[in-house]
Amino acid sequence: MASQIKPKRGIMDIALYVGGASHVDGQTNVLKLSSNENPLGPSAAAKEAVARSVHDMHRYPSTDHGPLRRAIGETWKVDPDRVICGVGSDEIIHFLCQCYAGPGDEVIHTEHGFAMYRISTLAAGATPVEVKENDRVTDVDAILDACNSNTKLVFIANPNNPTSTMIGEGDLMRLADGVPDHTILVLDGAYAEFVDGYDGGASIIEARDNVVMTRTFSKIYGLGGLRVGWGYGPKEIIDVLNRIRGPFNLSSAALAAAEASVRDLDYLEKCRTENAKWRDWLANALAEIGVPCDTSTANFVLARFGSEQEANACDDHLKSEGILVRRVAGYKLPHCLRITVGDESACRRVVHGIAQYKGAR
């Protein structure tokens, strides 16, 4: 007998998420460059904060995340009362869709945009609207052309994942000025810290009541395993999001590690400098063996091959060498492989592996 229990509209249109692989059968020396993780790991201050937090594991964590919000406010020069913290920036994205989109509403994202935009839209019962990019770069005009009376949210990642490209302040301002007044523009800054001098869009928010920024501690801060993110926007919107946020959505260990991380500016600069050094080396080395990449502003490069068949064959060869990168056919880039910027040995090893494959052909 068929079950009469059915999920709500849109849920079964969501494909199960497949994360970056972390092991290869038969390989012991596996190099994981598939999840955009910081090869330097978290700061010593973050590790010490977690170690201290174990003494209070029997206590519930803070419900308002006050110490972390104040640390974010001091470091990034934003109003802590307009900061919301979540389980990664994914949860903030989910909150926005749950609070502001539903049946009959539309949510815009770009063709190679982060998968969670579409997933969270469908989970809210709204309709995702995909717009074209311009050679893997966010196209402001295409987004504005797609906006209408049903558009409730517009998501862009800047820098974008998995393309690694970004648009400048002028285009961001034009986008913010051009979206309808009833539409929230969401600037996803998961990789913002890798761009020297970029505030993730915070300055754009100050003069508007319909722009929100999201950030994460999973990338440059090296806290992917603890899942901490935050959002910043108009007080009225943040108040709405907090109404559906679970009171204990972040653990004491996660809160302590994130607070220590955001205050450790020297370590942040070290990670940014090392990433830029090896990102440039990696892109140049790949270009020399006939694998072009767009100029990256994040902690990964998008390596472009001649065809989907060539990209998959190269990926298979890398796996045979114990090297894991990310296929991105699910992002409509079947001829590409996304490669995380590792440390020196990791970058040299993956280039050697790709060169082996190209030579073997």
Side-chain angles (χ1 to χ4, degrees):
M1 179 178 175
S3 173
Q4 299 302 305
I5 301 173
K6 304 292 183 184
K8 71 179 185 179
R9 177 181 175 274
I11 299 298
M12 297 310 294
D13 294 325
I14 302 172
L16 292 174
Y17 183 81
V18 179
S22 58
H23 71 277
V24 180
D25 291 341
Q27 294 283 347
T28 55
N29 184 24
V30 173
L31 172 60
K32 184 185 178 188
L33 299 176
S34 56
S35 296
N36 299 342
E37 296 157 333
N38 184 344
L40 302 180
S43 71
K47 294 176 184 178
E48 292 168 6
V50 171
R52 290 193 300 270
S53 75
V54 302
H55 302 294
D56 292 316
M57 283 197 298
H58 59 301
R59 307 291 186 192
Y60 279 101
S62 161
T63 60
D64 69 355
H65 312 145
L68 175 55
R69 289 189 296 105
R70 287 190 290 273
I72 290 170
E74 292 168 13
T75 300
W76 290 102
K77 304 299 185 289
V78 296
D79 181 358
D81 290 337
R82 295 163 59 189
V83 171
I84 181 173
C85 300
V87 182
S89 54
D90 295 10
E91 189 173 38
I92 311 300
I93 292 167
H94 192 69
F95 289 161
L96 285 160
C97 289
Q98 289 294 315
C99 289
Y100 289 100
D105 296 329
E106 295 181 354
V107 176
I108 292 175
H109 64 88
T110 64
E111 65 178 316
H112 305 309
F114 183 40
M116 285 307 301
Y117 308 149
R118 181 177 185 274
I119 290 171
S120 294
T121 298
L122 290 170
T127 301
V129 176
E130 179 185 291
V131 300
K132 290 290 186 181
E133 295 178 8
N134 184 8
D135 289 333
R136 298 169 300 282
V137 178
T138 296
D139 188 328
V140 171
D141 292 321
I143 292 173
L144 295 179
D145 287 345
C147 288
N148 58 46
S149 60
N150 297 321
T151 307
K152 294 299 189 291
L153 294 157
V154 172
F155 286 102
I156 72 161
N158 203 49
N160 189 35
N161 172 30
T163 64
S164 80
T165 60
M166 72 180 295
I167 58 176
E169 184 176 358
D171 279 332
L172 284 176
M173 294 281 285
R174 190 160 65 88
L175 180 58
D177 289 339
V179 296
D181 292 340
H182 63 268
T183 301
I184 299 174
L185 171 62
V186 184
L187 305 176
D188 181 354
Y191 299 91
E193 291 88 353
F194 292 104
V195 184
D196 193 19
Y198 178 49
D199 67 1
S203 57
I204 293 175
I205 292 169
E206 300 304 338
R208 295 167 179 81
D209 59 7
N210 65 334
V211 183
V212 172
M213 171 180 70
T214 63
R215 302 287 277 273
T216 186
F217 285 90
S218 297
K219 302 306 177 184
I220 202 167
Y221 294 106
L223 299 182
L226 289 181
R227 310 302 301 125
V228 190
W230 59 281
Y232 181 67
K235 186 70 170 64
E236 293 77 9
I237 293 177
I238 299 303
D239 177 69
V240 170
L241 303 186
N242 270 317
R243 292 171 186 271
I244 68 167
R245 177 181 63 82
F248 304 110
N249 60 326
L250 291 175
S251 70
S252 296
L255 289 166
E259 181 185 353
S261 295
V262 78
R263 293 187 184 280
D264 194 343
L265 299 179
D266 289 341
Y267 189 72
L268 179 73
E269 185 57 35
K270 174 184 177 181
C271 292
R272 179 164 45 227
T273 300
E274 283 295 300
N275 176 77
K277 174 183 177 180
W278 291 107
R279 177 183 63 201
D280 293 347
W281 184 91
L282 177 60
N284 290 333
L286 289 173
E288 288 178 4
I289 57 175
V291 181
C293 307
D294 291 316
T295 299
S296 173
T297 53
N299 69 333
F300 59 90
V301 298
L302 185 69
R304 303 198 309 275
F305 293 82
S307 65
E308 180 177 7
Q309 181 182 18
E310 184 185 19
N312 291 344
C314 183
D315 183 43
D316 288 338
H317 172 75
L318 292 175
K319 285 178 182 175
S320 73
E321 298 292 320
I323 303 170
L324 294 171
V325 297
R326 187 71 180 265
R327 296 188 187 188
V328 285
Y331 284 93
K332 301 188 176 181
L333 293 162
H335 62 298
C336 299
L337 297 176
R338 192 189 68 187
I339 305 172
T340 302
V341 177
D343 57 16
E344 177 178 0
S345 63
C347 289
R348 292 187 183 279
R349 183 175 166 189
V350 72
V351 168
H352 178 70
I354 295 174
Q356 277 185 322
Y357 164 74
K358 297 288 281 187
R361 296 178 65 245

